């Protein structure tokens, strides 16, 4: 199956500033793909190029079998980070309108809007004006409107922004459902844990450039091994321990990043002499670690 | 450009505006203002009541002559009402006058005017049989008029002088005090020799800006004095009237085919361009601004990015422009229908109904076609600019600096409107017609001349090209501006957006 999205050496400039700089990536069809990066890294600009809102100044972006993004709008759904409602419009009319913008006929859009709003518990609000909806209800209406045309490619910019854990879980479930339906979902976030929970593949972007990309396993493989410990006592300077490159110390819990040549047995012996160990676990790097390594080193260098 | 997407956006915006209560308020408020202009002055004058005045007559004869003249004019009006014979006139007139209707109807207006003066002054009885029958009722008519109060007169007809002005006998020593206290609106003083060339007449009042009383009485006194002067010079009244008659030139319209007398409708038509320009100005000013405000609304409501992801920015802009144009056509069309209807109905009651007929007769198909062409192109041009402004800012306050040059271009035609209408073939008027932002207004201002066909074609072509450039540039600014949430761009940056890919 061809990739859902193919980006080759894409760049986008705003004046002298390169928001995206020579970015290349492939998003497999039918997967959930995460765009990770700090604020201002270029995630939103990339998503806007994928949805056709912006055109790259260099390179190419093709979606859904090699088409230009603006040619496949009827097959793409996009929910931006900042999304709003037509306050004076009726809920049903607004949702139907968004569906019609994506190519649905008026009657079809109205019927789908009516059904899906009712399924989402908004049946009583169909004829109400959008400015009467609560925030949560408004977000539901927005999502329904964005996806009314059942797009093959779903693009979400910071979908977890401002959500409580319960609603965040709802969004995660929705994404999994899309994947089961064979749709491709891409979303941007700077909350790495969400991406680790659900993504098949990720790309880490910093300063408009790709830092790491691939499946979770591929991305983590290049990262340092870690040892996770629970302890009591004063461990002193972690870097003095054999094989330890750096550490995240929370007080009684620490994540130790090891150098590639580190011997975990030597480390265990050294730890036993310093602290009272409750838990000692070797494992692969977390996505957060990978993320921090990818963007943190550049940040420190800067 | 996808027509489906354009029409979808247009429909949404049109329904969004027309469905709002404030649209209907603005639709009704302009005709309401027009209606107020028609009715309020009359209502205020009713509320004001009759003006009270006094006269100090040092001549000993002028006051009586003026009173007779005024009475004669009122008698003539009453005879006119009786002659109308309509149900409305009959119910207003007392029996004394309505009984004279058959005789009054047999007389023409000039005869009724002469008879009215004769009834008031006691001049020799007329020879006409119908006038004689009315003359026989003179004593009863004079008695009735003498007992007529201003309120009773106003119920018959507000144009009767006795309804509007009431002379009050006031001792000379009390005049100043009575006027200062508001018991009198003013008092007139006649000199000893009113017919002298340097005769000094005075009018004293607490409010000299209210010229209604003064102008009316001055007219009545002038007529009497002029007639007396003519009589003293040995001239008959006809000769005196001829002496006083001013020269007037009848307008003749010159065309390529010759010249012809100008009809009343054509006289109205010569000033119709002023109406066209006002209509253009109001339409473009109000309606194009809707586009700016709707765009600002979509930005502030965070809808813009969702629209940009679904359809092309140029389609969004075209759709919004079309939707707003529809709102404008609905608004302006409704105003025209309501205002012309008011002129024909309420205006007819106020003797203005003929104005509507003259306006309609003066409107030519040629002018309508070009008005529509220039309205559409002018609206598109200003809509493009205002749409771009709306996309570039985050609120109305930020839009103000951009609106200043736009308003300048919109106000300039209003300032030039009358000079252009007076001299539509002037070189400067022709040159300004080729400045695209001014073209619609200048060409409609010149339409009474009318301009050569070459000017119509060339200015339209130039304007159309400008509109296309403006729409393309505005589309680019629209695309960039909709996503810009920071400070509004400076002019140089805005130009860069317009030239960008």
């Amino acid at each position: 199956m061809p990739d859902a999205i193919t980006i080759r050496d894409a760049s986008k400039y705003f004046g002298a500033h390169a928001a995206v700089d020579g970015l290349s990536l492939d998003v497999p069809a039918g997967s959930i793909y995460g765009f990770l990066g700090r604020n201002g890294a270029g995630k939103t600009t990339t998503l806007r190029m994928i949805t056709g809102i912006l055109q790259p100044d260099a390179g190419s972006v093709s979606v859904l079998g090699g088409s230009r993004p603006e040619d496949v709008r009827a097959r793409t759904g996009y929910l931006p980070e900042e999304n709003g409602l037509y306050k004076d419009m009726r809920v049903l009319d607004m949702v139907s309108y968004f569906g019609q913008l994506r190519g649905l006929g008026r009657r079809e859009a109205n019927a789908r809007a009516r059904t899906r709003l009712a399924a989402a518990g908004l049946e009583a609000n169909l004829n109400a004006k959008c400015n009467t909806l609560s925030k949560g209800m408004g977000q539901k209406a927005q999502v329904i409107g964005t996806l009314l045309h059942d797009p093959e490619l779903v693009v979400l910019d910071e979908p977890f922004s401002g959500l409580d854990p319960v609603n965040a879980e709802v969004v995660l479930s929705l994404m999994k459902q899309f994947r089961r339906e064979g749709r491709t979902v891409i979303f941007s976030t700077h909350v790495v844990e969400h991406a680790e929970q659900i993504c098949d593949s990720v790309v880490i972007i910093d300063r408009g450039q790709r830092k790491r990309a691939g499946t979770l396993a591929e991305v983590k493989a290049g990262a340092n091994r870690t040892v996770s410990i629970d302890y009591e006592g004063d461990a002193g300077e972690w870097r003095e321990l054999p094989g330890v490159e750096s550490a995240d110390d929370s007080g009684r819990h620490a994540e130790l990043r090891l150098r590639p040549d580190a011997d975990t047995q030597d480390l265990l012996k050294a730890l036993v002499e310093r602290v009272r160990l409750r838990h000692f676990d070797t494992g692969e790097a977390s996505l957060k670690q990978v993320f921090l390594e990818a963007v943190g080193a550049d940040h420190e260098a800067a | 450009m996808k027509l489906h997407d354009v029409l979808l956006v247009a429909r949404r915006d049109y329904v969004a505006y027309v469905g709002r209560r404030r649209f209907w308020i603005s639709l009704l408020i302009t005709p309401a203002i027009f209606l107020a202009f028609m009715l309020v002055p009359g209502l205020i004058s009713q509320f004001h009541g009759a003006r009270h005045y006094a006269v100090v007559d040092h001549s000993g004869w002028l006051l009586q002559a003026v009173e007779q003249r005024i009475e004669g004019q009122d008698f003539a009006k009453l005879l006119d009402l009786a002659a109308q014979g309509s149900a409305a006139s009959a119910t207003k007139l007392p029996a004394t006058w309505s009984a004279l209707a058959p005789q009054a109807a047999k007389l023409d207006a000039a005869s009724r005017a002469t008879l009215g003066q004769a009834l008031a002054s006691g001049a020799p009885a007329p020879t006409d049989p119908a006038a004689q029958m009315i003359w026989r009722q003179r004593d009863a008519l004079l008695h009735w008029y003498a007992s007529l109060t201003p309120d009773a007169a106003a119920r018959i007809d507000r144009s009767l002088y006795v309804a509007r002005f009431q002379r009050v006998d006031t001792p000379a020593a009390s005049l100043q005090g009575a006027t200062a206290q508001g018991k009198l609106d003013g008092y007139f003083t006649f000199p000893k020799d009113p017919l002298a060339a340097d005769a000094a007449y005075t009018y004293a009042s607490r409010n000299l800006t209210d010229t209604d009383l003064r102008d009316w009485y001055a007219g009545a006194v002038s007529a009497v004095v002029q007639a007396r002067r003519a009589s003293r010079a040995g001239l008959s009244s006809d000769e005196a009237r001829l002496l006083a008659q001013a020269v007037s030139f009848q307008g003749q319209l010159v065309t390529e085919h010759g010249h012809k007398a100008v009809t009343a409708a054509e006289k109205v038509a010569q000033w119709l361009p002023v109406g066209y320009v006002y209509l253009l100005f109001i339409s473009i000013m109000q309606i194009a601004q809707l586009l700016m405000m709707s765009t600002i609304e979509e930005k502030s409501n965070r809808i813009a990015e969702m629209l940009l992801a679904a359809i092309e920015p140029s389609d969004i802009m075209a759709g919004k422009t079309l939707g707003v144009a529809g709102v404008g056509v609905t608004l302006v069309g409704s105003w025209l229908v309501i205002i012309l209807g008011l002129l024909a109905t309420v205006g007819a009651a106020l003797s203005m109904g003929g104005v509507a007929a003259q306006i309609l007769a003066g409107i030519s198909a040629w002018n309508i076609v070009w008005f529509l062409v220039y309205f559409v192109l002018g609206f598109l041009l200003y809509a493009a600019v205002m749409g771009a402004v709306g996309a570039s800012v985050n609120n109305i306050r930020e839009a103000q600096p951009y609106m200043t040059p736009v308003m300048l271009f919109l106000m300039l035609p209003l300032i030039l409107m009358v000079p252009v209408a007076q001299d539509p073939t002037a070189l400067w008027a022709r040159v300004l017609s080729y400045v695209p932002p001014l073209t619609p207004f200048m060409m409609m201002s010149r339409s009474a001349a009318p301009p050569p066909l070459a000017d119509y074609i060339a200015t339209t072509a130039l304007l159309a090209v400008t509109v296309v450039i403006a729409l393309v540039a505005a589309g680019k600014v629209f695309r960039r501006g909709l996503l810009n949430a920071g400070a509004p761009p400076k002019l140089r940056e805005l130009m860069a957006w317009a030239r960008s890919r």
Side-chain angles (χ1 to χ4, degrees):
Chain A
M1 187 185 296
D3 289 327
I5 298 169
T6 301
I7 300 178
R8 289 289 174 264
D9 299 315
S11 298
K12 184 67 185 174
Y13 300 95
F14 296 110
H17 168 67
V20 175
D21 188 7
L23 182 70
S24 295
L25 58 88
D26 300 289
V27 176
S31 68
I32 298 178
Y33 197 98
F35 280 66
L36 308 180
R38 292 183 297 165
N39 295 333
K43 305 186 299 294
T44 297
T45 304
T46 305
L47 294 184
R48 285 174 175 173
M49 288 195 289
I50 290 170
T51 53
I53 294 172
L54 298 174
Q55 273 72 53
D57 294 317
S60 66
V61 176
S62 58
V63 300
L64 296 175
S67 306
R68 296 186 315 157
E70 47 269 34
D71 294 336
V72 291
R73 285 192 169 115
R75 296 159 64 192
T76 308
Y78 175 53
L79 189 65
E81 179 180 3
E82 293 194 18
N83 48 76
L85 306 167
Y86 282 110
K87 291 180 179 166
D88 290 332
M89 229 174 154
R90 292 192 315 155
V91 176
L92 176 66
D93 291 338
M94 189 197 71
V95 171
S96 172
Y97 177 61
F98 284 132
Q100 291 176 60
L101 284 174
R102 293 288 189 168
L104 289 180
R106 194 169 157 195
R107 200 170 289 180
E108 175 71 21
N110 281 346
R112 288 191 190 188
R114 196 176 290 277
T115 305
R116 295 183 191 187
L117 285 168
L122 292 173
E123 188 166 15
N125 305 91
L126 291 181
N127 294 319
K129 287 197 176 173
C130 289
N131 59 7
T132 64
L133 298 179
S134 66
K135 185 175 178 186
M137 289 166 142
Q139 286 174 328
K140 281 186 192 175
Q142 284 156 354
V143 171
I144 292 170
T146 299
L147 305 175
L148 198 71
H149 58 300
D150 294 330
E152 296 168 45
L153 173 63
V154 179
V155 182
L156 308 169
D157 192 1
E158 302 281 357
F160 303 104
S161 175
L163 293 185
D164 59 47
V166 172
N167 282 319
E169 199 56 41
V170 169
V171 174
L172 287 168
S173 300
L174 201 59
M175 288 190 198
K176 291 175 189 171
Q177 183 189 332
F178 291 153
R179 181 170 53 191
R180 283 194 297 273
E181 292 168 356
R183 305 194 216 187
T184 307
V185 180
I186 63 173
F187 70 97
S188 67
T189 183
H190 52 263
V191 180
V192 182
E193 287 76 11
H194 288 139
E196 187 157 29
Q197 206 173 335
I198 198 172
C199 287
D200 300 307
S201 308
V202 297
V203 60
I204 298 173
I205 298 176
D206 191 47
R207 296 179 188 174
Q209 296 176 338
R210 181 178 111 173
K211 296 299 175 184
R212 305 274 169 84
T215 63
L216 283 180
E218 288 168 352
V219 165
K220 288 180 182 180
N224 295 355
R225 286 176 297 151
T226 59
V227 166
S228 173
I229 64 170
D230 293 327
Y231 69 96
E232 288 175 6
D234 181 8
E237 185 54 51
W238 291 107
R239 290 191 183 189
E240 292 173 355
L241 293 170
V244 174
E245 188 172 278
S246 63
D248 275 334
D249 186 1
S250 311
R252 291 189 175 185
H253 174 83
E255 298 279 336
L256 308 177
R257 280 183 290 281
L258 306 183
R259 287 192 288 272
D261 60 346
D263 184 337
T264 53
Q265 295 305 309
D266 291 341
L267 175 59
L268 180 59
K269 284 180 197 169
L271 276 172
V272 166
E273 287 172 7
R274 288 197 184 197
V275 298
R276 189 173 184 79
L277 278 178
R278 296 286 182 198
H279 177 80
F280 181 93
D281 185 25
T282 60
E284 62 178 8
S286 67
L287 190 57
K288 180 178 176 181
Q289 282 175 252
V290 174
F291 179 83
L292 289 172
E293 278 179 26
V295 305
D298 283 356
H299 180 65
E300 285 169 8
Chain B
M1 181 173 287
K2 286 188 181 174
L3 189 60
H4 169 268
D5 293 346
V6 171
L7 292 177
L8 191 58
V9 173
R11 183 177 172 275
R12 193 222 78 88
D13 274 23
Y14 179 81
V15 171
Y17 273 109
V18 173
R20 287 182 190 172
R21 192 180 309 165
R22 59 176 173 258
F23 171 81
W24 294 101
I25 292 173
S26 69
L27 184 116
L28 294 172
I29 207 164
T30 299
I33 291 172
F34 184 79
L35 189 64
F37 269 116
M38 289 168 67
L39 294 179
V40 165
L43 288 171
I44 288 175
S45 67
Q46 282 187 19
F47 183 75
H48 189 280
R51 283 172 169 77
H52 296 88
Y53 67 97
V55 177
V56 177
D57 182 12
H58 294 298
S59 70
W61 61 269
L62 183 55
L63 175 59
Q64 186 187 10
V66 173
E67 296 267 282
Q68 285 175 353
R69 177 177 172 79
I70 293 169
E71 280 176 21
Q73 289 176 320
D74 273 354
F75 285 154
K77 281 182 193 166
L78 288 163
L79 287 171
D80 287 341
L81 280 174
Q84 283 175 14
S86 68
S89 301
T91 53
K92 280 200 247 180
L93 283 175
T96 312
W97 287 91
S98 56
L100 302 175
Q103 288 75 36
K106 289 177 185 172
L107 301 171
D108 60 23
S111 300
R112 289 196 290 269
T114 305
L115 179 57
Q117 289 297 325
L119 285 169
S121 62
T127 54
D128 181 274
Q132 280 188 349
M133 289 185 72
I134 295 172
W135 179 264
R136 289 193 203 104
Q137 305 300 319
R138 182 170 179 257
D139 288 341
L141 295 174
L142 286 174
H143 178 72
W144 172 84
Y145 189 83
S147 60
L148 189 62
T149 63
D151 288 340
R155 282 194 291 274
I156 297 170
D157 193 301
R158 280 215 53 85
S159 66
L160 289 170
Y161 293 130
V162 68
R164 295 162 55 195
F165 307 107
Q166 187 81 18
R167 188 175 69 83
V168 179
D169 283 323
T170 308
S174 310
L175 284 172
Q176 186 181 346
T179 305
Q181 289 165 17
K183 293 177 184 171
L184 287 176
D185 289 285
Y187 62 91
F188 300 89
T189 306
F190 297 161
K192 198 167 181 182
D193 183 5
L195 304 184
D198 57 351
Y201 294 82
T202 61
Y203 169 68
S205 170
R206 204 169 54 160
N207 177 16
L208 289 172
T209 59
D210 184 5
T211 58
D212 210 21
L213 170 62
R214 185 174 74 181
D215 290 348
W216 163 72
Y217 204 66
V221 171
S222 294
V224 170
V225 168
Q226 283 170 358
R228 283 294 178 103
R229 283 174 181 161
S231 173
R232 192 165 71 172
L235 297 171
S236 66
S237 56
D238 285 344
E239 286 168 334
R241 204 173 298 119
L242 189 62
L243 262 179
Q245 191 174 334
V247 173
S248 68
F249 288 90
Q250 187 190 43
Q252 295 250 321
L253 186 63
V254 175
T255 66
E256 289 171 358
H257 310 292
H259 58 82
K260 66 183 184 77
V262 180
T263 65
E266 283 166 335
K267 283 182 190 170
V268 170
Q270 293 206 306
W271 287 101
L272 273 177
V274 172
Y276 290 140
V277 174
Y278 265 126
L279 198 57
L280 264 178
F281 172 77
I282 292 171
S283 311
I284 291 174
M285 169 90 150
Q286 286 209 359
I287 299 157
Q289 282 197 88
L290 287 180
L291 181 61
M292 178 182 74
M293 289 163 61
S294 126
T295 307
I296 291 175
E297 184 184 357
E298 275 169 354
K299 273 190 80 172
S300 62
N301 286 347
R302 305 284 187 254
I303 305 281
E305 195 169 354
M306 294 178 77
L307 288 178
L308 285 171
I311 60 177
E312 287 292 322
S314 55
D315 290 348
I316 298 173
M317 179 136 179
K320 296 181 78 61
T321 304
L322 189 61
V324 166
V327 173
V329 169
T330 303
L331 200 63
V332 174
S334 302
W335 284 343
L336 283 175
V337 168
I338 294 172
I339 288 172
L340 287 177
L342 283 174
L343 280 173
T345 53
V346 177
L350 299 174
S351 306
M352 290 174 65
V355 174
Q358 286 179 336
I359 290 174
L360 287 171
I363 296 175
S364 70
W366 176 262
N367 279 340
I368 288 291
V369 166
W370 284 108
F371 175 80
L372 289 173
V373 168
Y374 286 121
F375 169 71
V376 168
L377 291 176
F379 167 74
L380 286 175
L381 179 62
Y382 283 94
V385 172
M386 295 213 188
V389 170
S392 304
V393 301
N394 298 301
N395 52 58
I396 297 289
R397 187 177 49 81
E398 288 180 359
Q400 292 305 319
Y402 298 95
M403 290 302 295
T404 302
V406 176
M407 292 309 298
L408 190 64
F409 271 111
L410 277 173
M411 293 303 297
L412 193 57
L414 283 188
I415 297 167
L416 296 173
M417 188 167 58
V418 172
V420 171
Q422 289 174 335
D423 189 7
T425 59
L427 178 62
W428 62 269
R430 206 169 174 198
V431 168
L432 287 179
S433 301
Y434 284 82
V435 177
L438 302 179
T439 298
F441 307 98
M442 295 304 295
M443 288 303 291
M444 292 318 299
S445 287
R446 295 171 60 200
S447 63
L453 182 61
D455 275 2
Y456 277 112
I457 294 171
T459 56
T460 302
L462 183 60
L463 182 56
V465 168
T466 307
V467 166
V468 169
I469 294 171
L471 285 172
V472 169
K476 293 177 185 175
V477 172
F478 202 76
R479 181 199 291 262
R480 290 290 301 273
L482 278 186
L483 296 174
N484 181 44
K490 298 275 190 300
L491 187 59
R492 184 176 292 182
E493 191 178 357
L494 207 60
M495 293 294 115
W497 287 4
R499 287 192 298 267
S500 66
R501 204 168 69 109

